[in-house]
Amino acid sequence: METKGLANIRGTARDDIKAHFVFIPLMLQGHLIPAVDTALLLASHGALTSIVVTPSYTERVHRTIDFAKKSGLPLRLMEFPLDLAAEGLPDGADDVDKVPPHLIANYFRALANLREPLERHLRSDEPYPTCVVADICHPWVKELAAKLEVPRLSFSGTCAFSLLCQHNVERFNAYDGIADDHELVVVPGLEKKFELSRAQSLLFFRLMPGFEKFTDELEQAVVKADGLLARRMKVWTVGPVSLFHQSTTTLSLRGNTAAIGADVCQHWLDGKVANSVVYVSFGSIQYVEPKQVVELGLGLEASGHPFIWVVKNADLLGEEVKEFLRELQTRVAGRGLLIMGWAPQVLILSHAAVGSFVTHCGWNSTMEAIAAGLPVVAWPHFSEQFLNAKLAVEVLGIGVDVGVTEPVMLRYDQKVIVIPREMVEKAVRSIMDRGDEGEERRRRARALAAKARAAVVEGGSSHANLQDLVNHFQRSPARGAAA
């Protein structure tokens, strides 16, 4: 276990630490990255932030943390290994990307087993925590915080709109009597009509065999939290957290161990006309079916627009698809750039050459698009991504819908959903359109970007919420308990 004492943090005296937040993120890139960004922001407001990670994820974030600490921010990593064997997990399954799908429930149990060693460490460590911030998918932290006698916040990486929709369908029992998980119901209590199926909602965990008890515990943990970081509790909205990063160096390090690929992307984009490039990425955990990979590639090629396409888990796609990708790279050389694996997403989105974003509508990606002032092609894959897509297309008016109506992954019926190349081409041409409709989307996107940046600077709403959060959980003279 690695922890860095306060003597290594800008010579900070313990009495100067306003509060001590212990972050326990879910070890998935889409959850870990915004949690780390939020920890960085709290540290910039004078709070010590300790981030609990497992060894594989230490490698992914330590360069970002080290860089921030050198600039004087009070941060540290707490590394705890998982007992993989105890839950029947193979070696290397500390990295969730290496967990076999049928053992994912075992992985969540292994994470829950961190409670006792983490409690022992936090009792003996200084300064004592004033608040525990746990990912919404860690219901076991409820007991940890109770035993430590400190407040607990739920960290939600999604937006207020999706949380409101989810709350309303549960409050008004909108799914009562609905047997088909893919049947759409109207979300009650909203002025505008929005439809949502059970499979498109945050309840998707309930549809996964073996996760029924976990879902019950998750919902109870959220209801009984002392606040929500993102119902009848105080909510702190602190985004867009990605705007903490204002330099090429920190942007290229974000979410990865090194700036591999950043220079290549920068150089390639430098040679392109402003607002001409389509960026395509479906996040860190989305699995794209081999047939969909081919249709997506052909649709991008047919669109005629320059593009950067991030292809995740190419090694799992089979030799036929890998050969297709190699041939596509040859055909679109100079116009298309394929990146296999990780890409410095925020760095790419902030480049002047990028004109739109084809996205799965995870909230991280949606916010990063908004912060960059870019319109989006909405291609949700599962869960609240459908709500985020509705928000982008139907509420904010900054996107076009690719045409997905059902989850394309984590389906218990194994049905394969494929968007054909013609629909991909049409969506890309639409989002890059220079007519009145396309220009209006871009105008709205730029206006939202200005609002996002205003929120995080001094005097902005997010900046004020962060300071209020630190003040709310500041240290008291007695053992550092929250005031």
Side-chain angles (χ1 to χ4, degrees):
M1 177 177 63
E2 177 200 6
T3 57
K4 300 298 184 183
L6 296 185
N8 294 332
I9 303 176
R10 199 178 53 182
T12 307
R14 286 178 181 161
D15 291 343
D16 292 336
I17 296 296
K18 296 178 180 178
H20 179 197
F21 292 89
V22 177
F23 274 72
I24 309 175
L26 182 63
M27 303 300 154
L28 292 174
Q29 288 289 80
H31 292 241
L32 177 64
I33 291 175
V36 169
D37 284 349
T38 305
L40 291 167
L41 285 164
L42 284 170
S44 72
H45 284 258
L48 170 64
T49 53
S50 300
I51 305 168
V52 176
V53 288
T54 54
S56 289
Y57 293 91
T58 298
E59 290 301 310
R60 301 191 187 193
V61 302
H62 80 86
R63 288 173 63 94
T64 293
I65 301 302
D66 290 347
F67 189 89
K69 285 165 60 177
K70 287 177 183 177
S71 69
L73 295 183
L75 292 150
R76 61 186 181 181
L77 292 177
M78 293 181 173
E79 183 182 286
F80 288 81
L82 296 181
D83 188 347
L84 301 173
E87 295 299 338
L89 291 164
D91 291 342
D94 163 51
D95 182 348
V96 72
D97 289 339
K98 298 177 182 177
V99 177
H102 68 284
L103 293 179
I104 194 67
N106 302 53
Y107 177 75
F108 274 87
R109 288 199 299 270
L111 288 171
N113 291 339
L114 292 178
R115 189 194 64 75
E116 290 187 3
L118 184 53
E119 180 189 343
R120 287 195 297 271
H121 177 75
L122 291 175
R123 285 190 182 281
S124 62
D125 194 33
E126 290 290 342
Y128 200 80
T130 62
C131 182
V132 175
V133 183
D135 190 280
I136 201 167
C137 291
H138 284 325
W140 54 272
V141 178
K142 177 167 63 77
E143 184 178 356
L144 170 68
K147 286 184 173 293
L148 292 172
E149 298 182 280
V150 297
R152 172 180 59 91
L153 298 183
S154 280
F155 183 86
S156 173
T158 189
C159 67
F161 173 72
S162 66
L163 290 174
L164 174 62
C165 290
Q166 186 64 51
H167 173 74
N168 282 7
V169 296
E170 293 176 13
R171 176 187 175 191
F172 295 104
N173 302 312
Y175 294 127
D176 282 4
I178 304 296
D180 185 352
D181 292 330
H182 301 290
E183 182 177 342
L184 294 172
V185 301
V186 175
V187 178
L190 301 180
E191 292 184 6
K192 186 178 175 65
K193 180 181 178 181
F194 294 98
E195 293 183 318
L196 186 70
S197 73
R198 187 182 283 107
Q200 293 176 346
S201 74
L202 289 167
L203 295 174
F204 79 96
F205 266 127
R206 285 208 178 278
L207 308 182
M208 298 172 62
F211 274 80
E212 297 83 2
K213 182 174 182 290
F214 174 83
T215 308
D216 289 338
E217 293 172 348
L218 187 154
E219 291 175 355
Q220 285 299 309
V222 172
V223 168
K224 295 181 179 179
D226 293 291
L228 184 64
L229 191 58
R231 316 182 199 242
R232 294 175 304 174
M233 59 182 67
K234 189 170 179 62
V235 178
W236 286 272
T237 53
V238 297
V241 295
S242 63
L243 289 179
F244 172 85
H245 304 275
Q246 296 294 318
S247 72
T248 299
T249 300
T250 62
L251 284 173
S252 62
L253 292 176
R254 184 173 181 259
N256 201 42
T257 58
I260 300 171
D263 291 342
V264 173
C265 294
Q266 186 83 31
H267 178 74
W268 190 88
L269 287 167
D270 286 346
K272 298 294 180 286
V273 175
N275 301 311
S276 67
V277 176
V278 181
Y279 175 65
V280 185
S281 177
F282 295 141
S284 57
I285 66 169
Q286 322 313 313
Y287 174 74
V288 181
E289 289 287 341
K291 185 176 180 180
Q292 183 65 82
V293 171
V294 174
E295 293 298 304
L296 173 54
L298 292 174
L300 291 173
E301 182 181 14
S303 75
H305 292 283
F307 63 88
I308 293 181
W309 177 17
V310 181
V311 183
K312 188 175 183 288
N313 292 334
D315 290 343
L316 303 179
L317 295 173
E319 189 55 40
E320 185 176 345
V321 177
K322 286 191 282 187
E323 179 60 27
F324 163 78
L325 292 172
R326 288 190 288 267
E327 292 174 354
L328 178 65
Q329 282 183 302
T330 300
R331 293 199 304 269
V332 300
R335 178 166 72 86
L337 175 64
L338 275 64
I339 300 174
M340 306 299 172
W342 176 86
Q345 179 160 295
V346 176
L347 183 68
I348 292 171
L349 294 175
S350 64
H351 197 284
V354 177
S356 67
F357 184 7
V358 179
T359 172
H360 64 301
C361 292
W363 189 237
N364 292 330
S365 291
T366 303
M367 284 297 283
E368 288 161 10
I370 288 172
L374 294 174
V376 300
V377 171
W379 193 327
H381 281 53
F382 75 106
S383 189
E384 93 287 353
Q385 294 166 11
F386 285 90
L387 285 166
N388 298 337
K390 291 176 187 293
L391 178 66
V393 177
E394 300 178 33
V395 179
L396 301 177
I398 63 168
V400 298
D401 194 335
V402 79
V404 179
T405 59
E406 295 184 24
V408 300
M409 63 177 291
L410 297 182
R411 296 183 64 102
Y412 55 88
D413 59 5
Q414 304 302 308
K415 180 181 177 181
V416 176
I417 307 291
V418 175
I419 298 298
R421 66 194 75 174
E422 295 83 7
M423 291 177 66
V424 175
E425 178 187 355
K426 179 182 178 182
V428 170
R429 288 184 180 274
S430 177
I431 204 65
M432 297 298 284
D433 175 56
R434 294 295 170 182
D436 291 345
E437 190 174 345
E439 287 300 327
E440 178 60 18
R441 279 194 294 266
R442 278 183 280 278
R443 185 197 65 77
R444 290 195 185 105
R446 289 192 297 269
L448 286 172
K451 290 182 179 180
R453 293 186 178 278
V456 300
V457 299
E458 189 169 358
S461 58
S462 290
H463 188 277
N465 283 341
L466 282 162
Q467 192 58 57
D468 180 66
L469 184 58
V470 173
N471 294 340
H472 194 84
F473 296 103
Q474 64 188 346
R475 299 172 69 209
S476 67
R479 205 178 68 167

